Amino acid sequence: MKWALADGWTITLRDLKHWAAQPWQIVFGLLFSVMLVLMFGYLFGGAIEVPGGGNYREFLLPGMFALTMLFGLEATYTAVTTDADRGVTDRFRAMPMAGSAVVMGRASADMLNSMLTLAAMVACGLAVGWRWHEGVGATLAAFGLLLLLRFALLWLGIWLALVLRSPEALMALQILVWPLGFLSNVYVAPQTMPGWLGTLAEWNPLSATVAAARELFGNPGWGGDSWVAQHSILMAFLWPAVLTAVFFPLSVRAYRRLSR
């Protein structure tokens, strides 16, 4: 375990140095998320009614925080497939290092990047009028749930990259990410959708984190009478736990089987 942690930290530092040398990918990702906030908050927000009343931008921002965590899936996939395509992953495999170090290092670097991204999005939210209304403990718990979702999703991204091993497949991943983001409670309340579509939106892992964050921040929410709507904080823990339990071992296994 000691050597695995040391090797993983070495990979983390490598990835952070790459981002420091080429920061534009992170900058453009942040600008894209800010553009979505401005577009939905000011262009479309006036036409969208928040269930139970309330400011739409306060309704929107917790959803945008979670959506940014989801968009990080594409950056994870791109980084892992680029290393595999350039032969960097094969060089790591030839070194005397722990088998989990590469995926753990990648995950650690991505989590640090996600914290930076979330901080920038919070600053954007404060600038457009978003505020939290509960105590410090509830606010920190909401941020913790957002990062927990990111931690779970990055293992999905690592696993997909190691299995598909194709930079060209990024387009297919982007096509899947957008419906997952929009089929949720990020922009509108699921009860405004057709019955079956609203049910799918309620059970979306992203929706659970968004609903829990709104509750913990004290922002306007969409409520709902279903079991999943009434237990959003519990589901915001369960969904990431399930995703991590499934895709973390699959990621390590896929890395170890690359040469087969």
Side-chain angles (χ1 to χ4, degrees):
M1 179 61 69
K2 175 183 176 182
W3 291 113
L5 292 175
D7 292 341
W9 180 243
T10 300
I11 300 299
T12 299
L13 291 178
R14 168 193 177 261
D15 292 332
L16 293 179
K17 289 178 180 178
H18 281 185
W19 283 331
Q22 299 176 339
W24 294 112
Q25 181 179 358
I26 298 176
V27 173
F28 288 142
L30 288 174
L31 290 177
F32 178 71
S33 297
V34 170
M35 180 192 71
L36 287 179
V37 170
L38 298 177
M39 182 172 65
F40 280 92
Y42 289 96
L43 294 182
F44 304 142
I48 300 176
E49 185 176 344
V50 179
N55 184 286
Y56 179 70
R57 285 193 290 278
E58 287 212 337
F59 174 87
L60 174 67
L61 261 298
M64 288 305 307
F65 297 157
L67 197 63
T68 303
M69 301 295 100
L70 175 64
F71 286 160
L73 185 69
E74 301 169 46
T76 301
Y77 180 93
T78 301
V80 176
T81 53
T82 299
D83 279 350
D85 190 53
R86 294 176 178 175
V88 176
T89 305
D90 291 333
R91 293 184 64 185
F92 285 147
R93 287 176 51 79
M95 295 179 180
M97 60 191 302
S100 61
V102 174
V103 292
M104 286 297 297
R106 177 77 249 169
S108 299
D110 273 17
M111 287 304 298
L112 293 174
N113 180 29
S114 298
M115 292 177 188
L116 175 64
T117 301
L118 184 57
M121 288 299 297
V122 169
C124 173
L126 293 173
V128 300
W130 170 79
R131 297 292 186 272
W132 61 80
H133 304 285
E134 300 297 333
V136 175
T139 300
L140 292 178
F143 288 134
L145 289 177
L146 290 165
L147 292 173
L148 183 63
L149 176 67
R150 176 71 188 112
F151 182 76
L153 289 174
L154 71 86
W155 292 115
L156 173 60
I158 291 174
W159 177 73
L160 287 173
L162 292 174
V163 171
L164 298 178
R165 308 186 211 177
S166 171
E168 291 76 16
L170 176 63
M171 183 64 68
L173 180 62
Q174 290 173 331
I175 294 173
L176 293 174
V177 164
W178 279 97
L180 182 63
F182 278 91
L183 185 58
S184 67
N185 61 357
V186 170
Y187 299 110
V188 296
Q191 66 249 37
T192 64
M193 306 175 187
W196 65 272
L197 197 62
T199 300
L200 289 178
E202 285 184 356
W203 283 92
N204 186 335
L206 189 68
S207 293
T209 299
V210 174
R214 285 176 179 146
E215 180 179 343
L216 292 169
F217 286 138
N219 295 146
W222 55 270
D225 299 325
S226 65
W227 185 91
V228 65
Q230 296 296 321
H231 299 83
S232 59
I233 295 179
L234 174 63
M235 294 302 298
F237 277 105
L238 289 181
W239 271 122
V242 170
L243 292 172
T244 303
V246 172
F247 290 106
F248 170 66
L250 287 178
S251 298
V252 175
R253 182 183 179 188
Y255 172 75
R256 290 173 174 169
R257 294 170 61 90
L258 280 178
S259 62
R260 299 182 184 180

